[in-house]
Every structure is written in C-alpha cells, then in structure tokens.
Amino acid sequence: MNSGIDVQEIFVRSLVDLGLPPGAAKAIWMPLPMLLMIIGATVGVLVTVWLERKISAAAQQRIGPEYIGPLGVLAPVADGLKLIFKEDVVPARSDPFLFTLGPVIVVIPVFLSYMIVPFGQNLVVTNVGMGVFLWIALSSVAPIGLLMSGYASNNKYSLLGGLRAAAQSISYEIPLALSVLAIAMMSNSLSTVDIVNQQSGYGVLGWNVWRQPVGFIIFWIAALAECERIPFDLPEAEEELVAGYQTEYSGMKFALFYLGAYVNLVLSALLVAVLYLGGWEFPIPLDIVANWLGVSEANPIFQIVTASLGITMTLLKAYFLVFLAILMRWTVPRVRIDQLLDLGWKFLLPISLVNLLLTAGLKLAFPAAFGG
Amino acid sequence: MNLAEGVQVVSFSLLSLMMLGSALGVVLVSNIVYSAFLLGGVFISMAGLYLLLNADFVATAQVLIYVGAVNVLILFAIMLVNKRQDFAPVPRAWIRRAATGLVCVGLFLLLATMVVVTPWAVSTQVAAGNSAIVAIGKHFFNDFLLPFELASVLLLMALIGAVILARRELIPEQPTAPAQPPALMLPERPRELVSAGASRSAQK
C-alpha cells in the first residue's frame, strides 16, 4: 500500500527551505485546503445545477439551456448572478434576526462536513478519527436552521415546512446512522480514509456495496431524504406548501438555501462513494496495473497519475449517484408525509437494525471477509 | 507561548464567552423561542470546550444528541404549541426577582467555592485522541456495564411510555353533529397575526 503524494509535507518542507519557521509554514498551509474545498464544493454545485437542467430537459424531451455558454454551461452562473442582484426582502412582522440567521445555520454545517471527504490517501482536509460520525452529527444541526427560518418567516406554510423538515431529518437520521454503523463495524474505524483502505486491494470486488447491499440502499434512501430530494421533498412540496420554509426568502438568503441543498446532495453522493463504492479506488487494483506496466509504485509520475485518477474516480462515482438522484427527481412522484414517516420508522429502521445484526453475525462467522 | 497554545487560549475564551452569554440569554430573554435557540448555542459551545479537551467523541456526541435531538425536540414542542400569552403583571415583581437573583448568586458562590477548594485528581496521562472510542467502548462493556445497561433500560421505559401516551385509545365520543349544510368552505380558524415579531410591531 503506497502512501501516495503528501502535498502538505512537500509544501511545508519547501517553505521551511525558504527560511520560514515550521510553525509559520504550517499556519500558511492550513487555510489552503479549506479554501480549495469551499471552492470545489461551489463549483460542484454549479456542475450539479447544470446537470439538473440538462437531464430534466432530456427527461422531458426538451433541449434545456443552450445559448448561455457552450451547451449552456454558464446557466447556473447566470442563476447565481440573478440571485445576487435580487432585492433582499425581509417580510413585514417577521423576525429579521432569526430570518437572516436561519439560512446561515443551514449552510455552515454542510460546508463543514466537506472536511472529512477524502480524495486520496492524503488528499483530505483533515483525517479526523470521528470521520463519518462527525458528518452525521453536523448534518443534525441543519434542522435547527430550518425550524428557525420557518418560524421567523411568520407564515404558516413556512412553519409547516420547517416542522416537516425537522421531523423528516430526525426520522431518517436513525437508519442513516445505523447503516453507517454497520460499515464502521466492518472497517473497525470511523475515519473515512480507513474505510476506503479497508475496501482496497481487490478492485471492484472489494467494495462495500457487495458486502452491504441492504445498507447501501438504506443509506441512499436516507441520504436522499436528508437532502430533501424528490421523492422526499415534503418540506418544500410546491403543491401543498408553496415552497415550505423557503416561501418568504429571496435574493442571497434564498441562494444560501439553494446552495446548501445542492452542496448537501453532492456531499451525500461523495459519502456514498466513499462508504460503499470504494472511494478513490480504481476498479482494478492499481498495484497490479503498475506491475503490468513495469513501473515501481514509488515512481513520481505514477504517483501523480494515481492521485489524479483517485480524484477522478471519486468524482465520477459521486456524479453517477448525483445523476441517479436527478433522474429520480424527474421520474418519481412525491410520497405523502405519513408515507414518508411510515417508510422511515416502520420499514427502514427495522431493516437497518436487522442489517446491523447480520453484519455483526457475519463478522464473527467470517472475520476474513467482514473485517475481523 | 507558541501558535497552538495561543489558538487554544483564544478559542477557550471565545467559547466561554459564547457559552456564558447564551446561557444567560436562555434564562433572561423573555421570548421562549429565543431561549430555545440560545440553548442550542450553549450546547454547541460546550461541544467546542470538549473538543479543546481532546475529547472528540464526546464533542461529536454532544452535537448529535443535544443540538441535533434534544434542542430540536424542544423547538418542536414550542412551535407546535406556539402559544403566546402575556403574563399578567405581578405587583412588586422586583421582590421575586431579587430573591431569585440572591438564590442564584448564593448557589454560584457555593459551587465556585466547591470547585476551588476540592483537590481535583487531574490525570497526567496523555489524551487518548483517536483511540478514545475504543477505550470508551471497553469501559462500557467492562467496569461500567451496569450503569450502561441501566441507562438503556431507562431509555426503553421512556420510549414505551411515550408510545403509550401518544396512542391513547380514549378518544372522546364525537357528538353526532347535525347534518351540516353543504358549504364549499374549509373550516379554518380566524387568522391571528401572531408569533415572531409581535414585540417589534410597537416600533413600526
């Protein structure tokens, strides 16, 4: 197992060679991956919005955005610019302070969660030991912001939307956490890097999706519900609630909700890729490829190729899942709120408990295959 | 003092300020919704303090359970009830307030003395860091098994109690209403302009 490129170490060492003290070099390094991650997440959102427009157009036999840039790739940028220049309306008799704070609280945890998404052995903002558990904890903060904006809008549709969002988020967090727990049990760790490493070695056959097919489906359903995507977009169901908690929002505050929703979707897809589809692993183990080509694994060019292939693989897997989510949005009808809660509590929760129990049993019975 | 220590001192003071400020807000702000949101602030800053003490797992669990579950449920309850009533002004309210303040200051002094006087057995061991989960898990299933299981039983009892309360079979008999005239109208409460910014309307 090669350790891959350590950009941080190279950067810090070269700054120290320039005559800076090591502490200062590290302090200069620290904001760089964070900034890169924020920019990456935002660009990912732009790509996702463009995909959503194009795929929805294809699903409805339209062309979709065409003239804004080649193939309409600049359409999401135009959307963003429009939202920036729109008037920022705070409705009368609302609570302006909570009204402003709501979208902020929704967006910050989502961006914060990006720090645990690995793109390679060392290509991660921070490899914290809590890993996926941190993500689950952070994603549980968002309902507070939703409740806050629903309440502060002083509008019954907003309040209903906020309450629905919180109820949905709480109910689907439990199956989500239980299916992550099954993965953690197999990997003996919560760290995302360790989880990917545990799946490596056998190429596509070693990915968790074969060992945890039920967990994969539960996780994907629960993640879609957490992102409030159709078929689970009850909090903003247009036909019932105007736009749910977003009803009164416009301009930049609405843009924050919009951004948060899409960042969350990409984040969930990335985490499905990391937890179940082998993260940055290529379908064929790369050391075998290196043997075929007769290149040593320590070869710098090979390492650069490996690292960029890792990033590409993670993004490809994640965007495949994003594609599925978008396709689902334009093909599947919305469930009712009672069906949604029934599905969460009466179906997914027992199934995920059984899945956990089975995983524990299999781990005891076949420690070699299920991470002893 | 190097960079790491400086960051630690600054974040400790910021977190303490945040925590004390929002805790005071929870008690002193008259709007109950603000109090509930500020409670979330208290929990978050407490998680930050745990993080400063190298207790990652406890900090994450604090965010998950207290902010993500307890505080959301409190908000849920408040918003579902959403009852705003102004309390009737009590004559000589200041006596009550002074008495409450006195009791609170006394309690604070008592606890502060206890904290200062007690010889705390401060552990000199290096913090467990990332292997803390393993250590906590071992403790749960070895020497702390009984409290752990008792806590689970307690939670199970609370769960079943909640289910029984929610599924009360005693639905009062609906009085057979006289045949209503077929009016094309949805029964709706008269809309009351309430909640969030009611206190601000005076300024406008």
Side-chain angles (χ1 to χ4, degrees):
Chain A
M1 191 68 233
N2 64 356
S3 60
I5 310 175
D6 193 347
V7 190
Q8 174 180 11
E9 205 195 310
I10 298 167
F11 184 87
V12 170
R13 210 190 310 136
S14 52
L15 276 189
V16 170
D17 289 345
L18 280 176
L20 278 171
K26 267 204 175 139
I28 293 175
W29 161 259
M30 260 195 282
L32 293 181
M34 304 181 199
L35 270 179
L36 194 68
M37 221 34 166
I38 289 177
I39 294 168
T42 317
V43 172
V45 168
L46 293 182
V47 174
T48 313
V49 172
W50 177 74
L51 278 177
E52 174 115 73
R53 290 177 147 227
K54 275 305 208 190
I55 294 169
S56 65
Q60 298 169 339
Q61 304 192 338
R62 295 184 282 117
I63 295 175
E66 198 183 4
Y67 294 111
I68 324 171
L71 288 176
V73 280
L74 292 180
V77 181
D79 281 2
L81 282 179
K82 184 198 78 174
L83 284 173
I84 287 173
F85 288 118
K86 257 181 146 180
E87 187 188 352
D88 186 26
V89 183
V90 177
R93 306 204 61 178
S94 67
D95 191 315
F97 179 64
L98 292 185
F99 190 76
T100 315
L101 201 60
V104 178
I105 292 185
V106 174
V107 164
I108 288 180
V110 183
F111 272 101
L112 207 56
S113 308
Y114 262 83
M115 76 181 178
I116 60 147
V117 178
F119 290 93
Q121 184 69 36
N122 294 307
L123 299 173
V124 53
V125 176
T126 155
N127 180 13
V128 276
M130 288 304 115
V132 273
F133 186 48
L134 184 68
W135 170 60
I136 292 174
L138 283 175
S139 71
S140 74
V141 176
I144 289 193
L146 299 177
L147 277 174
M148 195 182 268
S149 46
Y151 170 80
S153 301
N154 195 16
N155 172 332
K156 54 185 163 192
Y157 298 117
S158 298
L159 186 60
L160 274 176
L163 288 175
R164 275 188 180 185
Q168 179 174 334
S169 171
I170 290 179
S171 341
Y172 279 80
E173 220 156 65
I174 299 164
L176 189 82
L178 285 175
S179 49
V180 169
L181 195 58
I183 292 283
M185 204 186 253
M186 280 169 44
S187 321
N188 298 320
S189 168
L190 287 169
S191 149
T192 41
V193 175
D194 288 352
I195 288 175
V196 175
N197 278 337
Q198 179 262 337
Q199 304 175 54
S200 70
Y202 300 101
V204 69
L205 295 177
W207 294 354
N208 273 338
V209 65
W210 309 120
R211 283 177 283 181
Q212 286 283 332
V214 182
F216 173 68
I217 293 167
I218 295 170
F219 187 90
W220 182 233
I221 292 176
L224 279 182
E226 291 267 306
C227 296
E228 291 158 13
R229 295 283 303 183
I230 277 184
F232 306 111
D233 72 333
L234 269 300
E236 48 200 88
E238 293 92 348
E239 295 87 354
E240 307 163 30
L241 293 181
V242 188
Y245 54 87
Q246 302 171 354
T247 306
E248 300 285 359
Y249 281 89
S250 70
M252 213 41 221
K253 287 175 195 151
F254 175 75
L256 280 184
F257 276 131
Y258 195 71
L259 188 73
Y262 278 100
V263 173
N264 207 356
L265 176 66
V266 178
L267 177 74
S268 303
L270 279 169
L271 276 162
V272 175
V274 165
L275 293 180
Y276 292 96
L277 299 179
W280 65 81
E281 292 291 323
F282 197 67
I284 309 163
L286 277 175
D287 39 350
I288 294 179
V289 178
N291 274 341
W292 281 345
L293 298 174
V295 202
S296 102
E297 275 183 43
N299 188 337
I301 296 174
F302 181 74
Q303 288 211 343
I304 287 176
V305 170
T306 315
S308 33
L309 206 61
I311 296 175
T312 321
M313 282 323 290
T314 318
L315 288 178
L316 268 183
K317 288 166 187 172
Y319 273 96
F320 170 67
L321 292 159
V322 169
F323 169 73
L324 279 188
I326 293 173
L327 205 59
M328 222 179 276
R329 170 165 180 180
W330 298 98
T331 42
V332 178
R334 178 184 300 131
V335 297
R336 276 199 325 257
I337 183 80
D338 60 322
Q339 292 170 335
L340 173 102
L341 293 178
D342 274 1
L343 178 72
W345 288 106
K346 295 187 189 163
F347 183 72
L348 289 183
L349 180 61
I351 296 268
S352 55
L353 278 172
V354 169
N355 180 46
L356 188 66
L357 201 67
L358 269 181
T359 313
L362 286 171
K363 182 176 159 129
L364 287 179
F366 309 104
F370 286 86
Chain B
M1 191 158 72
N2 58 23
L3 189 68
E5 280 174 17
V7 170
Q8 208 161 4
V9 168
V10 169
S11 26
F12 176 73
S13 36
L14 275 180
L15 282 171
S16 323
L17 268 181
M18 225 172 93
M19 185 151 122
L20 290 178
S22 39
L24 282 177
V26 173
V27 184
L28 297 178
V29 171
S30 61
N31 186 341
I32 190 169
V33 176
Y34 283 170
S35 296
F37 282 126
L38 282 169
L39 192 63
V42 177
F43 290 143
I44 284 272
S45 14
M46 213 182 279
L49 287 180
Y50 288 141
L51 210 57
L52 275 185
L53 292 170
N54 272 328
D56 304 19
F57 180 75
V58 185
T60 323
Q62 166 90 11
V63 173
L64 180 69
I65 294 164
Y66 282 94
V67 183
V70 173
N71 200 22
V72 169
L73 285 182
I74 290 175
L75 282 167
F76 229 92
I78 290 173
M79 286 183 183
L80 282 180
V81 176
N82 199 12
K83 191 177 180 186
R84 272 188 78 90
Q85 61 176 42
D86 295 322
F87 296 107
V90 187
R92 295 201 205 90
W94 68 269
I95 298 181
R96 298 178 179 209
R97 284 189 191 140
T100 320
L102 208 68
V103 170
C104 290
V105 170
L107 204 59
F108 174 74
L109 285 179
L110 190 70
L111 287 175
T113 335
M114 188 273 290
V115 168
V116 173
V117 168
T118 313
W120 298 101
V122 180
S123 162
T124 50
Q125 279 182 325
V126 183
N130 279 350
S131 60
I133 327 171
V134 181
I136 290 173
K138 276 183 182 154
H139 277 305
F140 271 159
F141 286 95
N142 281 326
D143 37 354
F144 288 98
L145 184 63
L146 186 65
F148 181 63
E149 292 297 331
L150 278 181
S152 352
V153 171
L154 189 70
L155 286 176
L156 188 68
M157 275 155 61
L159 186 74
I160 294 171
V163 170
I164 286 176
L165 280 182
R167 288 188 56 118
R168 256 182 315 205
E169 307 271 303
L170 300 163
I171 298 168
E173 289 272 321
Q174 295 278 329
T176 43
Q180 285 181 344
L184 294 174
M185 231 179 124
L186 287 172
E188 192 172 327
R189 272 193 311 170
R191 178 172 161 75
E192 26 184 317
L193 280 172
V194 279
S195 65
S199 56
R200 289 183 53 84
S201 59
Q203 300 163 15
K204 283 183 182 162

